[in-house]
């Protein structure tokens, strides 16, 4: 009898020891999981901070380019030896707009290295005006009445955006066929905001991926289900 009690006591102590060991392991795992969750949360916060900072930098870069615009399609050497004088003389006539005071450039030049092949597409011209309101006038006329022509050459004038903004604009423009197929009206505003409307209900998109997902789910999410806070009249 005493031997049985002693054996049972030893087994109980062994079980308690095993349970204590399991509890210690569980505690260790919980601590590791907590540490991992903290790292994940920190990583997500850093990613959000990075996205925010990148968007702020892009915005700052776009703002620094507000006085600039690009002229595409003017043949090489057409400007002669003085690009600023050429643009001062040519731009008002090309876009049929008089400027008072006359255009004054801080700088104007072609981008990139001159190509040896004369048949290649001419390098873009980038110009920076002294007066921001004149840049806005030129871009407004270009949006409403462009492209223009010099002799047989088609000339386009565009704003000078950052690389990231240009990529977003191209992604938005690539979705135009789908918007037309769904009979939606749309406008692309500066620097990269797509406005979509149908049946008097409108929504703004700042991210092409969000617009793409919206179009994918349009059949199950009709326009009249959008939040009315985003509605505004067509302008």
């Amino acid at each position: 009898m005493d031997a049985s009690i002693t054996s049972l006591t030893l087994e109980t102590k062994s079980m308690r020891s095993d349970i204590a060991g399991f509890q210690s392991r569980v505690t260790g795992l919980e601590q590791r999981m907590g540490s991992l969750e903290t790292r994940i949360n920190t990583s997500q916060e850093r990613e959000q901070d990075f996205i925010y900072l990148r968007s702020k930098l892009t915005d700052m870069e776009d703002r620094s380019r507000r006085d600039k615009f690009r002229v595409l399609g003017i043949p090489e050497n057409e400007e002669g030896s003085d690009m600023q004088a050429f643009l001062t003389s040519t731009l008002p006539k090309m876009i049929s707009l008089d400027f008072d005071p006359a255009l004054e450039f801080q700088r104007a030049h072609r981008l990139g290295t001159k190509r040896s092949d004369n048949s290649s597409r001419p390098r873009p011209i980038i110009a920076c005006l002294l007066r921001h309101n004149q840049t806005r006038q030129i871009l407004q006329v270009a949006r409403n009445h462009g492209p223009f022509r010099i002799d047989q050459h088609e000339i386009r004038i565009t704003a000078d955006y950052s690389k990231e903004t240009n990529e977003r604009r191209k992604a938005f423009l690539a979705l135009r066929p789908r918007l037309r197929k769904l009979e939606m009206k749309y406008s692309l505003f500066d620097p990269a905001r797509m406005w979509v409307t149908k049946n008097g209900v409108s929504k703004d998109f700042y991210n092409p991926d969000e617009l793409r997902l919206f179009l994918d789910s349009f059949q199950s999410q009709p326009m009249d289900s959008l939040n009315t806070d985003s509605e505004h009249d067509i302008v």
Side-chain angles (χ1 to χ4, degrees):
M1 184 69 176
D2 291 340
S4 298
I5 293 174
T6 301
S7 176
L8 183 60
T9 301
L10 291 174
E11 289 180 4
T12 302
K13 289 182 178 180
S14 177
M15 290 177 62
R16 288 177 177 174
S17 177
D18 291 341
I19 291 172
F22 287 137
Q23 288 177 337
S24 176
R25 292 177 185 176
V26 169
T27 301
L29 288 173
E30 289 177 343
Q31 290 175 345
R32 291 180 183 178
M33 289 179 64
S35 176
L36 182 59
E37 288 176 354
T38 300
R39 291 180 183 179
I40 291 174
N41 291 335
T42 301
S43 176
Q44 290 174 340
E45 290 173 359
R46 288 178 178 174
E47 182 180 2
Q48 291 300 318
D49 289 343
F50 173 76
I51 293 173
Y52 172 76
L53 290 173
R54 187 173 65 178
S55 68
K56 295 295 289 184
L57 286 172
T58 299
D59 179 65
M60 290 174 63
E61 183 177 355
D62 286 330
R63 288 177 182 274
S64 72
R65 295 168 178 252
R66 289 186 305 172
D67 296 327
K68 301 177 184 178
F69 60 92
R70 297 189 180 206
V71 185
L72 313 176
I74 292 181
E76 293 279 347
N77 303 319
E78 187 81 8
E79 66 274 16
S81 60
D82 191 336
M83 178 67 78
Q84 293 188 24
F86 169 76
L87 292 177
T88 301
S89 171
T90 303
L91 273 178
K93 292 183 290 185
M94 184 177 71
I95 66 177
S96 301
L97 186 64
D98 294 327
F99 293 95
D100 185 17
L103 296 177
E104 292 185 65
F105 291 88
Q106 297 186 49
R107 55 190 176 277
H109 58 86
R110 291 191 185 268
L111 293 173
T113 305
K114 186 174 182 179
R115 302 180 178 95
S116 58
D117 184 1
N118 292 329
S119 64
S120 298
R121 185 171 57 182
R123 292 171 296 161
I125 295 171
I126 185 166
C128 180
L129 283 170
L130 183 63
R131 300 176 182 87
H132 174 63
N133 66 312
Q134 291 181 333
T135 302
R136 292 180 59 186
Q137 284 180 287
I138 291 171
L139 292 174
Q140 184 66 42
V141 173
R143 279 191 292 267
N144 294 337
H145 303 291
F148 309 99
R149 302 198 75 83
I150 293 181
D151 297 329
Q152 301 301 316
H153 305 287
E154 183 177 276
I155 311 299
R156 296 181 180 274
I157 300 175
T158 67
D160 182 47
Y161 299 112
S162 64
K163 179 180 178 181
E164 183 171 328
T165 298
N166 265 322
E167 290 175 351
R168 285 168 55 206
R169 289 178 65 87
K170 289 178 181 178
F172 274 130
L173 293 175
L175 295 172
R176 287 180 299 179
R178 295 185 62 184
L179 290 164
R180 288 193 289 265
K181 185 176 181 180
L182 291 169
E183 298 181 348
M184 294 182 181
K185 294 182 179 180
Y186 59 88
S187 294
L188 182 60
F189 293 102
D190 292 335
R193 173 174 65 91
M194 182 69 89
W195 175 63
V196 177
T197 186
K198 186 174 184 179
N199 299 329
V201 181
S202 304
K203 186 174 178 64
D204 288 318
F205 293 90
Y206 294 86
N207 187 319
D209 291 333
E210 292 178 358
L211 176 56
R212 191 176 294 108
L213 290 173
F214 172 75
L215 295 177
D216 289 342
S217 63
F218 180 72
Q219 297 300 327
S220 60
Q221 184 183 358
M223 287 289 287
D224 56 12
S225 68
L226 295 176
N227 191 326
T228 55
D229 290 341
S230 65
E231 295 183 16
H232 52 78
D233 295 331
I234 300 175
V235 294

